């Protein structure tokens, strides 16, 4: 299966929402820093509880729903192609069986558009990347999402 990819549009400063798989708190990361090819990100730390996991575990519900939609649509397309081909070849042959095939419909979810939020980003003194923390937690108990140090 080919890789499915889609763009998530960040807010006006390029921040995208992530959700911690452990405490389900949301935070935002800068899309350009998160998707930096020179400095690839594999694991993320939750800025609230400090636990770490593979970055794919931090996708927000919205992004996960979008990914499921894309996977579903890909499958629908493949099924439609396969059945369409089958129907055409059956119908071309001179047999008595005719096949009609009604293509499956694709899902059309809404695009993900980030809303601007008022929180200021924290800059990590270790990696200089930014984490936007949404729930106004004191700076003393927040962690850098990239390297897990206290910011
Ligand atoms: Zn957490
Ligand atoms: Zn850092």
């Amino acid at each position: 299966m080919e890789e499915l990819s889609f763009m998530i549009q960040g807010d006006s400063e390029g921040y995208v929402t992530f959700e911690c798989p452990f405490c389900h708190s949301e935070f935002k990361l800068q899309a350009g820093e998160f998707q930096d090819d020179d400095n690839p990100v594999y694991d993320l730390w939750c800025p609230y509880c400090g636990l770490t996991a593979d970055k794919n575990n931090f996708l927000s519900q919205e992004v996960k729903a979008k990914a499921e939609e894309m996977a579903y649509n890909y499958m629908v397309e493949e099924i439609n192609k396969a059945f369409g081909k089958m129907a055409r070849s059956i119908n071309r042959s001179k047999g008595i069986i005719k096949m009609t095939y009604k293509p499956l419909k694709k899902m059309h979810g809404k695009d993900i558009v980030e809303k601007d939020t008022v929180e200021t980003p924290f800059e990590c003194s270790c990696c200089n990347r930014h984490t936007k923390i949404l729930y106004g937690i004191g700076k003393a108990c927040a962690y850098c999402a990239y390297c897990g140090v206290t910011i």
Side-chain angles (χ1 to χ4, degrees):
M1 183 164 153
E2 319 159 28
E3 202 175 315
L4 297 172
S5 63
F6 59 97
M7 289 296 294
I8 305 163
Q9 206 186 328
D11 64 16
S12 61
E13 291 173 304
Y15 282 85
V16 170
T17 303
F18 291 83
E19 188 185 312
C20 172
F22 306 107
C23 68
H24 301 287
S25 304
E26 290 184 330
F27 58 99
K28 284 183 160 189
L29 297 176
Q30 237 242 326
E33 291 176 347
F34 178 72
Q35 303 178 108
D36 186 354
D37 290 339
D38 297 332
N39 217 343
V41 175
Y42 301 106
D43 295 319
L44 287 177
W45 274 262
C46 171
Y48 307 99
C49 65
L51 293 176
T52 182
D54 185 276
K55 64 176 178 181
N56 292 325
N57 293 319
F58 281 89
L59 298 177
S60 69
Q61 296 303 323
E62 213 180 16
V63 171
K64 274 189 223 156
K66 192 79 192 164
E68 276 165 24
E69 180 196 314
M70 303 250 330
Y72 177 82
N73 286 347
Y74 178 83
M75 184 193 77
V76 163
E77 215 167 278
E78 292 301 300
I79 290 171
N80 285 346
K81 260 193 258 170
F83 276 86
K85 227 162 113 185
M86 195 193 287
R88 276 194 303 278
S89 77
I90 287 174
N91 295 340
R92 252 201 316 270
S93 69
K94 297 209 161 42
I96 52 167
I97 301 162
K98 290 290 173 216
M99 182 177 166
T100 52
Y101 174 66
K102 199 164 157 273
L104 293 172
K105 281 208 174 65
K106 287 190 182 184
M107 282 166 67
H108 292 287
K110 59 179 169 56
D111 287 333
I112 299 169
V113 180
E114 289 288 342
K115 288 172 214 70
D116 282 348
T117 43
V118 292
E119 291 77 6
T120 44
F122 291 113
E123 190 181 299
C124 175
S125 56
C126 180
C127 67
N128 295 333
R129 289 182 284 195
H130 300 83
T131 305
K132 247 187 193 179
I133 294 163
L134 302 182
Y135 297 131
I137 285 176
K139 202 174 177 170
C141 57
Y143 305 91
C144 170
Y146 297 100
C147 52
V149 303
T150 308
I151 48 176

